[in-house]
Amino acid sequence: MSQSDAHVVILGAGHAGGTAAALLRQYGHTGLITMVGEEPIPPYQRPPLSKAWLKGEADADSLALKPLEFYGEQNIDFRPNLKAVKLARSDKTVTLSDGSIVSYDVLIIATGMRPIRLPIEGADLEGVLTLRSAADAEVIKAALGPGKRLAIIGGGYIGLEVAASARALGAEAVIIEREPRILARSACEALSNFFHGYHLSRGVEFVLGAGVEAFVGEGGKVTGVRLADGRVIECDVVLLGVGAVPNDEIAREAGLECARGIVVDLEARTADPSVFAIGDVTHRPLPHYGRMFGPESVPSALEQAKQAASAITGRAAPTPEVPWNWSDQYDLKLQIAGLPFDADKILLRGDPASGKFAVFHLKGDQVQSVEAINSPPEFMMGKQLIANRKSVDPAKLADPSVSMKEVAV
Amino acid sequence: MAKITYIEHDGTEHVVDVKNGLTVMEGAVKNNIPGIDADCGGACACATCHVYVDEAWREKTGSTSAMEDSMLDFAENVEPNSRLSCQIKVTDALDGLIVRMPESQH
Protein backbone atom coordinates (compact mmCIF):
# COMPACT_ATOMS: atom_id res chain seq x y z
CA MET A 1 0.00 0.00 0.00
CA SER A 2 1.38 3.38 -0.93
CA GLN A 3 -0.07 6.79 -0.27
CA SER A 4 2.37 8.95 -2.18
CA ASP A 5 0.36 12.11 -1.49
CA ALA A 6 -0.17 11.47 2.23
CA HIS A 7 0.81 14.15 4.71
CA VAL A 8 3.52 12.57 6.84
CA VAL A 9 4.16 14.26 10.19
CA ILE A 10 7.41 13.35 11.94
CA LEU A 11 7.64 14.13 15.65
CA GLY A 12 11.29 14.53 16.56
CA ALA A 13 14.14 15.84 14.43
CA GLY A 14 16.98 13.64 15.61
CA HIS A 15 18.95 11.01 13.73
CA ALA A 16 15.84 8.83 13.25
CA GLY A 17 13.38 11.58 12.30
CA GLY A 18 15.79 13.39 9.99
CA THR A 19 16.74 10.17 8.20
CA ALA A 20 13.10 9.17 7.76
CA ALA A 21 12.30 12.55 6.17
CA ALA A 22 15.23 12.28 3.75
CA LEU A 23 14.49 8.63 2.87
CA LEU A 24 10.81 9.37 2.19
CA ARG A 25 11.92 11.83 -0.51
CA GLN A 26 14.63 9.44 -1.74
CA TYR A 27 11.97 6.74 -2.08
CA GLY A 28 9.71 9.05 -4.08
CA HIS A 29 7.17 10.28 -1.56
CA THR A 30 5.52 13.39 -3.02
CA GLY A 31 3.12 14.37 -0.23
CA LEU A 32 3.84 17.03 2.36
CA ILE A 33 6.33 16.14 5.08
CA THR A 34 6.27 18.08 8.34
CA MET A 35 9.10 17.51 10.80
CA VAL A 36 8.74 18.88 14.31
CA GLY A 37 11.93 19.26 16.37
CA GLU A 38 12.45 20.44 19.93
CA GLU A 39 15.89 21.90 19.22
CA PRO A 40 16.58 25.09 17.23
CA ILE A 41 18.71 23.30 14.63
CA PRO A 42 17.97 20.67 11.97
CA PRO A 43 18.85 16.99 12.56
CA TYR A 44 22.46 16.20 13.38
CA GLN A 45 24.62 13.29 14.45
CA ARG A 46 24.83 12.80 18.20
CA PRO A 47 27.64 10.20 18.46
CA PRO A 48 30.45 12.73 17.83
CA LEU A 49 29.17 14.98 20.67
CA SER A 50 31.04 12.95 23.29
CA LYS A 51 34.04 12.36 21.03
CA ALA A 52 35.32 14.37 18.05
CA TRP A 53 33.04 17.35 18.67
CA LEU A 54 33.98 17.68 22.35
CA LYS A 55 37.65 17.64 21.39
CA GLY A 56 37.11 20.38 18.79
CA GLU A 57 37.65 18.06 15.82
CA ALA A 58 34.17 18.57 14.33
CA ASP A 59 31.93 21.61 13.90
CA ALA A 60 28.18 22.19 13.70
CA ASP A 61 28.24 21.96 9.88
CA SER A 62 29.95 18.60 9.87
CA LEU A 63 27.49 17.25 12.45
CA ALA A 64 24.41 18.24 10.43
CA LEU A 65 22.79 15.29 8.65
CA LYS A 66 21.87 17.59 5.75
CA PRO A 67 22.47 21.29 5.07
CA LEU A 68 19.61 23.54 6.24
CA GLU A 69 18.66 24.37 2.59
CA PHE A 70 17.98 20.68 2.01
CA TYR A 71 14.70 20.83 3.89
CA GLY A 72 13.38 23.74 1.83
CA GLU A 73 14.57 22.24 -1.45
CA GLN A 74 12.94 18.90 -0.63
CA ASN A 75 9.67 20.50 0.50
CA ILE A 76 10.12 19.25 4.06
CA ASP A 77 8.45 21.67 6.49
CA PHE A 78 10.97 21.68 9.33
CA ARG A 79 9.46 23.28 12.44
CA PRO A 80 12.11 23.87 15.15
CA ASN A 81 11.71 24.73 18.85
CA LEU A 82 8.47 22.79 19.13
CA LYS A 83 7.34 19.50 20.54
CA ALA A 84 4.14 17.53 20.47
CA VAL A 85 2.12 17.62 23.68
CA LYS A 86 -0.93 15.60 22.64
CA LEU A 87 -1.80 12.95 20.10
CA ALA A 88 -5.46 12.47 19.16
CA ARG A 89 -5.55 9.31 17.04
CA SER A 90 -9.32 9.38 16.46
CA ASP A 91 -9.12 12.63 14.48
CA LYS A 92 -5.47 12.17 13.40
CA THR A 93 -4.14 15.37 14.91
CA VAL A 94 -1.18 16.37 17.03
CA THR A 95 -1.19 19.40 19.34
CA LEU A 96 2.16 21.16 19.50
CA SER A 97 3.71 23.09 22.39
CA ASP A 98 2.73 26.46 20.84
CA GLY A 99 -0.93 25.40 20.85
CA SER A 100 -1.11 24.79 17.10
CA ILE A 101 -2.80 21.66 15.82
CA VAL A 102 -1.37 19.64 12.92
CA SER A 103 -3.36 17.02 11.00
CA TYR A 104 -1.62 13.96 9.63
CA ASP A 105 -2.38 11.05 7.36
CA VAL A 106 0.66 9.17 8.62
CA LEU A 107 2.51 9.91 11.86
CA ILE A 108 6.09 8.92 12.70
CA ILE A 109 7.04 9.28 16.36
CA ALA A 110 10.80 9.76 16.65
CA THR A 111 11.05 11.57 19.96
CA GLY A 112 14.06 9.66 21.29
CA MET A 113 15.09 9.50 24.92
CA ARG A 114 16.05 11.95 27.62
CA PRO A 115 18.85 11.49 30.15
CA ILE A 116 17.84 10.52 33.67
CA ARG A 117 18.44 13.29 36.19
CA LEU A 118 19.01 11.95 39.69
CA PRO A 119 16.30 13.13 42.10
CA ILE A 120 18.75 13.98 44.87
CA GLU A 121 19.84 17.05 46.81
CA GLY A 122 21.83 19.48 44.71
CA ALA A 123 20.69 18.04 41.37
CA ASP A 124 19.69 21.53 40.21
CA LEU A 125 23.04 23.17 41.00
CA GLU A 126 24.76 24.92 38.12
CA GLY A 127 27.34 22.59 36.60
CA VAL A 128 25.36 19.37 37.05
CA LEU A 129 25.05 18.41 33.40
CA THR A 130 23.72 15.75 31.09
CA LEU A 131 24.77 15.05 27.52
CA ARG A 132 22.17 14.46 24.87
CA SER A 133 22.03 17.54 22.65
CA ALA A 134 24.51 19.79 20.89
CA ALA A 135 23.57 22.51 23.39
CA ASP A 136 24.50 20.16 26.26
CA ALA A 137 27.81 19.40 24.57
CA GLU A 138 28.51 23.13 24.21
CA VAL A 139 28.08 23.62 27.97
CA ILE A 140 30.31 20.64 28.79
CA LYS A 141 33.00 21.75 26.35
CA ALA A 142 33.07 25.21 27.94
CA ALA A 143 33.41 23.64 31.39
CA LEU A 144 36.41 21.46 30.45
CA GLY A 145 40.05 22.32 30.03
CA PRO A 146 43.33 22.33 31.95
CA GLY A 147 42.85 22.70 35.70
CA LYS A 148 39.20 21.63 35.60
CA ARG A 149 37.98 18.52 37.35
CA LEU A 150 35.04 16.59 35.94
CA ALA A 151 33.07 14.07 37.99
CA ILE A 152 31.19 11.56 35.85
CA ILE A 153 28.34 9.72 37.50
CA GLY A 154 27.99 6.34 35.80
CA GLY A 155 30.63 4.20 34.12
CA GLY A 156 28.79 3.52 30.88
CA TYR A 157 29.93 4.29 27.32
CA ILE A 158 28.92 7.98 27.42
CA GLY A 159 30.84 8.47 30.66
CA LEU A 160 33.92 6.69 29.34
CA GLU A 161 33.89 8.59 26.05
CA VAL A 162 33.58 11.94 27.82
CA ALA A 163 36.35 10.94 30.25
CA ALA A 164 38.64 10.20 27.29
CA SER A 165 37.75 13.53 25.66
CA ALA A 166 38.22 15.39 28.97
CA ARG A 167 41.72 13.94 29.31
CA ALA A 168 42.50 14.98 25.74
CA LEU A 169 41.46 18.53 26.70
CA GLY A 170 43.74 18.47 29.75
CA ALA A 171 40.99 18.20 32.37
CA GLU A 172 40.92 15.74 35.25
CA ALA A 173 38.20 13.11 35.20
CA VAL A 174 36.84 10.91 37.97
CA ILE A 175 34.24 8.24 37.25
CA ILE A 176 31.86 7.36 40.09
CA GLU A 177 30.05 4.06 39.55
CA ARG A 178 27.47 2.36 41.76
CA GLU A 179 28.37 -1.16 40.60
CA PRO A 180 31.67 -2.83 41.52
CA ARG A 181 32.81 -2.51 37.88
CA ILE A 182 32.30 -0.10 34.99
CA LEU A 183 30.09 -1.16 32.02
CA ALA A 184 28.42 -3.58 34.43
CA ARG A 185 25.19 -3.70 32.48
CA SER A 186 26.56 -3.49 28.96
CA ALA A 187 29.78 -5.50 28.76
CA CYS A 188 31.40 -8.64 30.12
CA GLU A 189 33.98 -8.52 32.87
CA ALA A 190 37.00 -8.89 30.57
CA LEU A 191 35.96 -5.79 28.65
CA SER A 192 35.17 -3.84 31.84
CA ASN A 193 38.61 -4.64 33.20
CA PHE A 194 40.29 -3.70 29.95
CA PHE A 195 38.59 -0.30 29.74
CA HIS A 196 39.19 0.32 33.43
CA GLY A 197 42.91 -0.30 33.03
CA TYR A 198 43.16 1.72 29.81
CA HIS A 199 41.48 4.75 31.37
CA LEU A 200 43.50 4.42 34.60
CA SER A 201 46.75 4.48 32.66
CA ARG A 202 45.60 7.72 31.02
CA GLY A 203 44.95 9.40 34.33
CA VAL A 204 41.22 8.82 34.82
CA GLU A 205 40.30 8.14 38.46
CA PHE A 206 37.64 5.64 39.51
CA VAL A 207 35.41 5.36 42.55
CA LEU A 208 33.59 2.04 42.19
CA GLY A 209 30.79 0.54 44.26
CA ALA A 210 29.87 4.03 45.41
CA GLY A 211 26.37 5.43 45.82
CA VAL A 212 25.88 9.12 45.17
CA GLU A 213 23.95 10.83 47.95
CA ALA A 214 24.01 14.50 46.98
CA PHE A 215 25.73 17.19 44.99
CA VAL A 216 27.23 19.91 47.12
CA GLY A 217 27.87 23.47 46.01
CA GLU A 218 28.70 27.05 46.77
CA GLY A 219 26.80 30.05 45.48
CA GLY A 220 24.48 27.81 43.50
CA LYS A 221 27.34 26.11 41.65
CA VAL A 222 28.44 22.50 42.11
CA THR A 223 31.75 21.92 43.92
CA GLY A 224 31.55 18.24 44.77
CA VAL A 225 29.75 14.92 44.93
CA ARG A 226 28.87 13.50 48.35
CA LEU A 227 28.89 9.70 48.46
CA ALA A 228 26.77 7.46 50.67
CA ASP A 229 29.78 6.76 52.91
CA GLY A 230 30.21 10.50 53.56
CA ARG A 231 33.20 11.07 51.30
CA VAL A 232 33.06 14.19 49.14
CA ILE A 233 34.64 14.03 45.67
CA GLU A 234 35.60 17.58 44.70
CA CYS A 235 34.92 18.75 41.19
CA ASP A 236 34.13 21.77 39.01
CA VAL A 237 31.50 20.08 36.92
CA VAL A 238 29.39 16.92 37.04
CA LEU A 239 28.22 14.83 34.10
CA LEU A 240 25.30 12.50 34.73
CA GLY A 241 25.65 9.36 32.63
CA VAL A 242 23.21 7.08 34.40
CA GLY A 243 20.95 6.15 31.53
CA ALA A 244 18.00 7.54 29.63
CA VAL A 245 14.26 7.02 29.38
CA PRO A 246 12.11 7.00 26.23
CA ASN A 247 10.03 10.08 25.46
CA ASP A 248 6.93 7.96 24.91
CA GLU A 249 4.40 9.90 27.01
CA ILE A 250 2.18 11.15 24.19
CA ALA A 251 1.97 7.63 22.78
CA ARG A 252 1.05 6.17 26.17
CA GLU A 253 -1.60 8.82 26.72
CA ALA A 254 -2.98 8.12 23.25
CA GLY A 255 -3.42 4.45 24.17
CA LEU A 256 -0.59 2.98 22.10
CA GLU A 257 1.07 -0.06 23.62
CA CYS A 258 4.33 0.80 25.34
CA ALA A 259 6.86 -1.33 27.20
CA ARG A 260 10.19 0.36 27.71
CA GLY A 261 9.30 2.52 24.73
CA ILE A 262 6.62 2.35 22.05
CA VAL A 263 5.97 -1.18 20.81
CA VAL A 264 6.41 -1.51 17.03
CA ASP A 265 6.69 -4.29 14.44
CA LEU A 266 9.30 -4.92 11.74
CA GLU A 267 7.77 -2.17 9.60
CA ALA A 268 8.26 0.19 12.59
CA ARG A 269 4.45 0.38 12.77
CA THR A 270 2.44 0.55 15.99
CA ALA A 271 -0.89 -1.26 16.40
CA ASP A 272 -2.44 1.86 14.82
CA PRO A 273 -1.76 1.47 11.07
CA SER A 274 -1.37 5.25 10.67
CA VAL A 275 1.25 5.60 13.40
CA PHE A 276 4.89 4.55 13.15
CA ALA A 277 7.61 4.93 15.75
CA ILE A 278 11.36 4.79 15.11
CA GLY A 279 14.63 5.15 16.98
CA ASP A 280 15.41 5.17 20.69
CA VAL A 281 11.78 5.76 21.68
CA THR A 282 10.79 2.28 20.45
CA HIS A 283 10.62 -1.23 21.83
CA ARG A 284 11.21 -3.26 18.69
CA PRO A 285 11.48 -6.85 17.49
CA LEU A 286 14.93 -8.32 16.95
CA PRO A 287 14.30 -11.22 14.55
CA HIS A 288 17.79 -12.69 14.99
CA TYR A 289 16.98 -13.26 18.64
CA GLY A 290 13.21 -13.83 18.51
CA ARG A 291 12.52 -11.17 21.10
CA MET A 292 11.68 -7.52 21.69
CA PHE A 293 14.29 -4.98 22.77
CA GLY A 294 15.22 -1.30 22.69
CA PRO A 295 18.74 -1.22 21.27
CA GLU A 296 19.32 2.55 21.82
CA SER A 297 21.69 2.96 18.91
CA VAL A 298 22.14 4.94 15.72
CA PRO A 299 22.16 1.84 13.47
CA SER A 300 18.85 0.72 14.96
CA ALA A 301 17.35 4.19 14.38
CA LEU A 302 18.55 4.19 10.76
CA GLU A 303 17.19 0.71 10.16
CA GLN A 304 13.79 1.69 11.53
CA ALA A 305 13.78 4.91 9.49
CA LYS A 306 14.27 2.64 6.44
CA GLN A 307 11.49 0.31 7.59
CA ALA A 308 8.99 3.14 8.06
CA ALA A 309 9.92 4.98 4.86
CA SER A 310 9.67 1.69 2.92
CA ALA A 311 6.25 0.86 4.36
CA ILE A 312 4.89 4.36 3.70
CA THR A 313 6.12 4.45 0.10
CA GLY A 314 5.11 0.86 -0.68
CA ARG A 315 8.63 -0.54 -1.03
CA ALA A 316 9.55 -4.03 0.11
CA ALA A 317 10.61 -4.17 3.75
CA PRO A 318 14.41 -4.12 4.17
CA THR A 319 16.19 -7.29 5.32
CA PRO A 320 16.49 -7.26 9.12
CA GLU A 321 19.98 -6.29 10.25
CA VAL A 322 22.07 -7.59 13.13
CA PRO A 323 22.05 -4.90 15.83
CA TRP A 324 25.40 -3.21 16.21
CA ASN A 325 27.07 -0.25 17.82
CA TRP A 326 30.48 1.32 18.31
CA SER A 327 32.47 3.51 20.66
CA ASP A 328 35.70 5.48 20.23
CA GLN A 329 37.94 6.20 23.22
CA TYR A 330 41.55 7.40 22.88
CA ASP A 331 43.00 5.23 20.09
CA LEU A 332 40.53 2.43 20.77
CA LYS A 333 37.74 1.50 18.42
CA LEU A 334 35.15 -0.76 20.00
CA GLN A 335 32.69 -2.40 17.60
CA ILE A 336 29.87 -4.49 18.99
CA ALA A 337 27.72 -6.82 16.88
CA GLY A 338 24.66 -8.57 18.25
CA LEU A 339 23.44 -8.85 21.83
CA PRO A 340 24.52 -11.51 24.32
CA PHE A 341 21.01 -12.91 24.99
CA ASP A 342 21.04 -16.43 26.46
CA ALA A 343 24.78 -16.79 25.93
CA ASP A 344 26.25 -19.73 27.84
CA LYS A 345 29.92 -19.21 27.04
CA ILE A 346 32.34 -16.30 26.78
CA LEU A 347 35.37 -16.74 24.60
CA LEU A 348 38.37 -14.44 24.33
CA ARG A 349 40.22 -14.11 21.04
CA GLY A 350 43.52 -12.24 21.17
CA ASP A 351 45.33 -10.59 24.04
CA PRO A 352 43.81 -7.59 25.86
CA ALA A 353 47.33 -6.48 26.84
CA SER A 354 48.04 -5.85 23.14
CA GLY A 355 45.02 -3.49 22.88
CA LYS A 356 43.61 -5.68 20.11
CA PHE A 357 41.19 -8.47 20.99
CA ALA A 358 37.59 -9.62 20.80
CA VAL A 359 35.15 -11.16 23.23
CA PHE A 360 32.65 -13.61 21.73
CA HIS A 361 29.43 -14.57 23.49
CA LEU A 362 28.27 -18.00 22.36
CA LYS A 363 25.06 -19.95 22.79
CA GLY A 364 26.08 -23.51 22.09
CA ASP A 365 28.28 -23.19 19.04
CA GLN A 366 26.57 -20.09 17.66
CA VAL A 367 27.78 -16.53 18.07
CA GLN A 368 25.24 -14.32 19.85
CA SER A 369 27.42 -11.23 20.04
CA VAL A 370 30.97 -10.00 19.69
CA GLU A 371 32.74 -7.05 21.30
CA ALA A 372 35.78 -6.24 19.18
CA ILE A 373 38.53 -3.84 20.24
CA ASN A 374 40.62 -2.58 17.32
CA SER A 375 39.65 -5.81 15.54
CA PRO A 376 37.48 -5.10 12.48
CA PRO A 377 37.70 -8.67 11.07
CA GLU A 378 36.26 -10.11 14.27
CA PHE A 379 33.45 -7.54 14.18
CA MET A 380 32.66 -7.89 10.48
CA MET A 381 32.82 -11.71 10.42
CA GLY A 382 31.06 -11.95 13.79
CA LYS A 383 28.18 -9.89 12.40
CA GLN A 384 27.89 -12.25 9.41
CA LEU A 385 28.01 -15.34 11.63
CA ILE A 386 25.14 -13.93 13.70
CA ALA A 387 23.14 -13.02 10.59
CA ASN A 388 23.59 -16.47 8.98
CA ARG A 389 23.21 -18.49 12.21
CA LYS A 390 26.36 -20.38 11.28
CA SER A 391 27.98 -22.69 13.80
CA VAL A 392 31.60 -22.04 14.74
CA ASP A 393 34.44 -24.17 16.05
CA PRO A 394 35.19 -22.59 19.45
CA ALA A 395 38.79 -23.83 19.39
CA LYS A 396 39.43 -22.08 16.07
CA LEU A 397 37.59 -18.97 17.22
CA ALA A 398 39.79 -18.73 20.32
CA ASP A 399 42.96 -19.04 18.24
CA PRO A 400 43.93 -15.69 16.66
CA SER A 401 46.31 -17.48 14.27
CA VAL A 402 43.27 -18.99 12.55
CA SER A 403 41.71 -16.49 10.13
CA MET A 404 38.17 -15.33 10.95
CA LYS A 405 37.20 -16.65 7.52
CA GLU A 406 37.94 -20.19 8.71
CA VAL A 407 36.13 -20.30 12.04
CA ALA A 408 32.74 -21.45 10.71
CA VAL A 409 32.14 -25.22 10.61
CA MET B 1 35.60 22.03 -4.58
CA ALA B 2 35.28 18.95 -6.74
CA LYS B 3 32.58 17.80 -9.12
CA ILE B 4 31.88 14.19 -8.22
CA THR B 5 29.78 11.71 -10.15
CA TYR B 6 28.07 9.06 -8.04
CA ILE B 7 26.57 6.19 -10.05
CA GLU B 8 23.95 3.99 -8.42
CA HIS B 9 23.94 0.25 -9.00
CA ASP B 10 21.08 0.65 -11.51
CA GLY B 11 23.08 3.19 -13.50
CA THR B 12 21.41 6.37 -12.23
CA GLU B 13 24.00 9.16 -12.18
CA HIS B 14 24.21 12.01 -9.68
CA VAL B 15 26.68 14.82 -10.30
CA VAL B 16 27.25 17.17 -7.37
CA ASP B 17 29.81 19.72 -6.17
CA VAL B 18 31.48 18.66 -2.93
CA LYS B 19 33.46 21.08 -0.77
CA ASN B 20 37.13 20.42 -0.03
CA GLY B 21 37.68 18.85 3.35
CA LEU B 22 34.47 16.82 3.27
CA THR B 23 34.72 13.15 2.48
CA VAL B 24 33.26 11.46 -0.60
CA MET B 25 30.77 9.82 1.82
CA GLU B 26 29.69 13.19 3.25
CA GLY B 27 29.23 14.55 -0.26
CA ALA B 28 26.75 11.77 -0.97
CA VAL B 29 24.90 11.99 2.34
CA LYS B 30 24.55 15.78 2.32
CA ASN B 31 23.10 15.59 -1.20
CA ASN B 32 20.69 12.74 -0.35
CA ILE B 33 22.21 10.40 -2.92
CA PRO B 34 20.87 6.85 -2.55
CA GLY B 35 23.23 3.91 -2.21
CA ILE B 36 25.59 5.19 0.48
CA ASP B 37 24.17 4.44 3.92
CA ALA B 38 27.06 5.59 6.14
CA ASP B 39 25.53 4.28 9.34
CA CYS B 40 28.44 5.32 11.57
CA GLY B 41 28.76 8.79 10.10
CA GLY B 42 32.40 8.41 9.11
CA ALA B 43 33.97 6.63 12.07
CA CYS B 44 35.27 3.79 9.84
CA ALA B 45 33.20 1.43 11.99
CA CYS B 46 30.58 -0.03 9.67
CA ALA B 47 31.58 -0.39 5.97
CA THR B 48 28.19 0.90 4.75
CA CYS B 49 29.70 3.63 2.54
CA HIS B 50 31.44 1.17 0.21
CA VAL B 51 32.12 2.47 -3.33
CA TYR B 52 34.04 1.37 -6.41
CA VAL B 53 36.47 4.06 -7.52
CA ASP B 54 36.67 4.54 -11.28
CA GLU B 55 39.95 3.04 -12.57
CA ALA B 56 41.25 6.39 -13.79
CA TRP B 57 40.95 7.81 -10.27
CA ARG B 58 42.38 5.00 -8.16
CA GLU B 59 45.79 6.59 -7.75
CA LYS B 60 44.49 10.08 -6.95
CA THR B 61 42.17 8.83 -4.19
CA GLY B 62 45.17 7.50 -2.28
CA SER B 63 45.73 4.26 -0.46
CA THR B 64 43.77 2.49 2.25
CA SER B 65 44.68 2.42 5.95
CA ALA B 66 45.06 -0.87 7.82
CA MET B 67 41.67 -0.29 9.50
CA GLU B 68 39.91 0.38 6.18
CA ASP B 69 41.63 -2.64 4.61
CA SER B 70 40.44 -5.03 7.23
CA MET B 71 36.88 -3.65 7.13
CA LEU B 72 36.83 -4.07 3.33
CA ASP B 73 38.29 -7.54 3.57
CA PHE B 74 35.02 -8.67 5.15
CA ALA B 75 32.53 -6.46 3.32
CA GLU B 76 30.26 -7.88 0.61
CA ASN B 77 31.04 -7.73 -3.14
CA VAL B 78 34.50 -6.26 -2.71
CA GLU B 79 36.59 -5.55 -5.84
CA PRO B 80 40.20 -4.36 -6.19
CA ASN B 81 38.92 -0.78 -6.61
CA SER B 82 36.70 -0.90 -3.51
CA ARG B 83 37.03 1.90 -0.95
CA LEU B 84 35.16 3.18 2.06
CA SER B 85 34.04 6.59 0.84
CA CYS B 86 34.32 8.06 4.36
CA GLN B 87 38.07 7.62 4.08
CA ILE B 88 38.49 9.65 0.86
CA LYS B 89 38.95 13.37 1.57
CA VAL B 90 37.84 15.73 -1.18
CA THR B 91 40.41 18.14 -2.65
CA ASP B 92 40.66 20.05 -5.94
CA ALA B 93 42.69 17.10 -7.24
CA LEU B 94 39.53 14.96 -7.17
CA ASP B 95 37.55 17.28 -9.48
CA GLY B 96 35.83 14.91 -11.92
CA LEU B 97 35.97 11.84 -9.66
CA ILE B 98 33.61 9.00 -10.55
CA VAL B 99 32.49 6.41 -7.99
CA ARG B 100 29.99 3.58 -8.36
CA MET B 101 27.87 2.07 -5.62
CA PRO B 102 27.41 -1.64 -4.88
CA GLU B 103 23.96 -3.20 -5.06
CA SER B 104 23.56 -3.05 -1.29
CA GLN B 105 25.51 -1.82 1.71
CA HIS B 106 24.40 -4.59 4.06
Side-chain angles (χ1 to χ4, degrees):
Chain A
M1 179 203 76
S2 172
Q3 303 168 271
S4 60
D5 58 349
H7 179 198
V8 180
V9 173
I10 303 173
L11 302 180
H15 221 127
T19 302
L23 282 180
L24 280 168
R25 288 291 181 243
Q26 220 179 77
Y27 294 173
H29 185 74
T30 51
L32 186 62
I33 298 174
T34 302
M35 181 171 65
V36 178
E38 217 174 328
E39 294 176 60
I41 52 175
Y44 57 89
Q45 308 196 47
R46 290 182 205 280
L49 292 179
S50 55
K51 311 175 189 111
W53 194 91
L54 208 52
K55 289 188 281 179
E57 293 164 4
D59 59 19
D61 268 0
S62 67
L63 289 192
L65 289 188
K66 310 282 180 201
L68 183 59
E69 313 84 74
F70 171 84
Y71 301 95
E73 286 163 10
Q74 297 281 334
N75 193 24
I76 295 167
D77 179 17
F78 168 50
R79 304 184 60 183
N81 299 310
L82 284 172
K83 65 181 216 171
V85 293
K86 186 169 184 278
L87 163 60
R89 290 195 289 131
S90 53
D91 56 359
K92 293 194 174 184
T93 61
V94 178
T95 307
L96 304 183
S97 46
D98 64 352
S100 60
I101 292 176
V102 181
S103 297
Y104 64 83
D105 298 309
V106 175
L107 183 70
I108 302 177
I109 303 175
T111 43
M113 303 183 107
R114 61 178 177 276
I116 294 172
R117 295 201 63 101
L118 297 173
I120 58 174
E121 184 191 331
D124 53 356
L125 286 168
E126 188 190 332
V128 178
L129 310 170
T130 55
L131 176 52
R132 187 78 187 172
S133 65
D136 296 337
E138 194 86 49
V139 175
I140 292 169
K141 194 176 184 179
L144 293 181
K148 296 287 185 185
R149 185 165 157 85
L150 167 70
I152 296 165
I153 316 297
Y157 287 117
I158 287 261
L160 293 176
E161 288 171 2
V162 173
S165 301
R167 295 300 294 148
L169 293 167
E172 291 176 29
V174 52
I175 292 180
I176 302 168
E177 167 62 50
R178 186 179 56 186
E179 303 291 329
R181 62 178 173 100
I182 57 168
L183 298 172
R185 283 170 306 280
S186 43
C188 68
E189 206 162 344
L191 207 65
S192 291
N193 292 341
F194 172 76
F195 276 111
H196 188 169
Y198 212 84
H199 280 266
L200 263 184
S201 70
R202 277 147 189 84
V204 176
E205 300 163 55
F206 288 86
V207 185
L208 301 178
V212 173
E213 197 176 71
F215 301 112
V216 294
E218 267 175 37
K221 201 181 167 320
V222 75
T223 57
V225 181
R226 192 166 77 231
L227 305 180
D229 63 8
R231 271 183 296 170
V232 174
I233 310 292
E234 289 183 12
C235 64
D236 302 292
V237 55
V238 169
L239 175 72
L240 295 173
V242 293
V245 289
N247 295 317
D248 59 6
E249 288 79 3
I250 60 158
R252 281 178 190 274
E253 285 158 17
L256 290 169
E257 187 191 353
C258 293
R260 193 176 192 276
I262 305 169
V263 173
V264 293
D265 64 14
L266 274 177
E267 288 190 323
R269 206 188 293 260
T270 68
D272 180 335
S274 305
V275 181
F276 294 78
I278 58 175
D280 286 356
V281 76
T282 66
H283 192 66
R284 56 163 294 187
L286 294 182
H288 295 96
Y289 299 93
R291 68 166 76 200
M292 301 287 291
F293 196 66
E296 290 180 41
S297 70
V298 166
S300 176
L302 298 181
E303 183 183 18
Q304 290 182 298
K306 256 181 239 169
Q307 291 169 352
S310 298
I312 293 165
T313 55
R315 284 167 75 111
T319 310
E321 289 166 27
V322 173
W324 76 277
N325 216 339
W326 80 98
S327 175
D328 291 320
Q329 297 160 42
Y330 310 104
D331 54 349
L332 300 175
K333 182 174 298 299
L334 167 68
Q335 294 163 294
I336 303 171
L339 291 151
F341 296 127
D342 311 318
D344 50 35
K345 184 162 39 183
I346 289 177
L347 195 150
L348 186 66
R349 179 179 162 96
D351 179 11
S354 70
K356 191 169 145 63
F357 67 102
V359 180
F360 285 86
H361 299 253
L362 303 181
K363 179 182 171 193
D365 57 6
Q366 291 190 329
V367 176
Q368 293 294 89
S369 77
V370 55
E371 297 151 316
I373 300 277
N374 291 341
S375 301
E378 279 70 11
F379 166 72
M380 295 291 282
M381 195 66 211
K383 203 159 159 235
Q384 287 172 32
L385 291 168
I386 297 166
N388 305 330
R389 306 306 317 150
K390 283 231 180 90
S391 293
V392 294
D393 178 343
K396 285 184 181 168
L397 191 58
D399 181 354
S401 72
V402 178
S403 152
M404 277 304 292
K405 288 181 174 167
E406 295 162 37
V407 299
V409 291
Chain B
M1 186 80 87
K3 205 172 272 304
I4 300 181
T5 303
Y6 298 84
I7 305 176
E8 289 184 63
H9 190 73
D10 67 4
T12 310
E13 287 192 18
H14 305 263
V15 185
V16 293
D17 290 321
V18 183
K19 271 196 293 187
N20 288 356
L22 292 182
T23 64
V24 171
M25 175 279 282
E26 287 172 310
V29 170
K30 293 201 188 288
N31 288 288
N32 209 24
I33 294 170
I36 292 185
D37 287 355
D39 286 359
C40 77
C44 197
C46 68
T48 63
C49 65
H50 178 193
V51 295
Y52 305 113
V53 173
D54 187 81
E55 284 302 326
W57 292 89
R58 279 181 70 181
E59 207 162 301
K60 282 191 178 141
T61 48
S63 52
T64 54
S65 68
M67 186 70 90
E68 183 183 348
D69 262 341
S70 56
M71 296 290 292
L72 279 171
D73 197 23
F74 288 86
E76 309 249 330
N77 306 313
V78 170
E79 301 289 338
N81 59 337
S82 286
R83 290 293 308 268
L84 295 182
S85 55
C86 71
Q87 301 300 305
I88 306 173
K89 278 256 191 252
V90 174
T91 63
D92 289 339
L94 292 189
D95 189 27
L97 173 68
I98 299 167
V99 297
R100 293 177 174 78
M101 273 83 93
E103 186 169 7
S104 152
Q105 293 285 359
H106 293 273

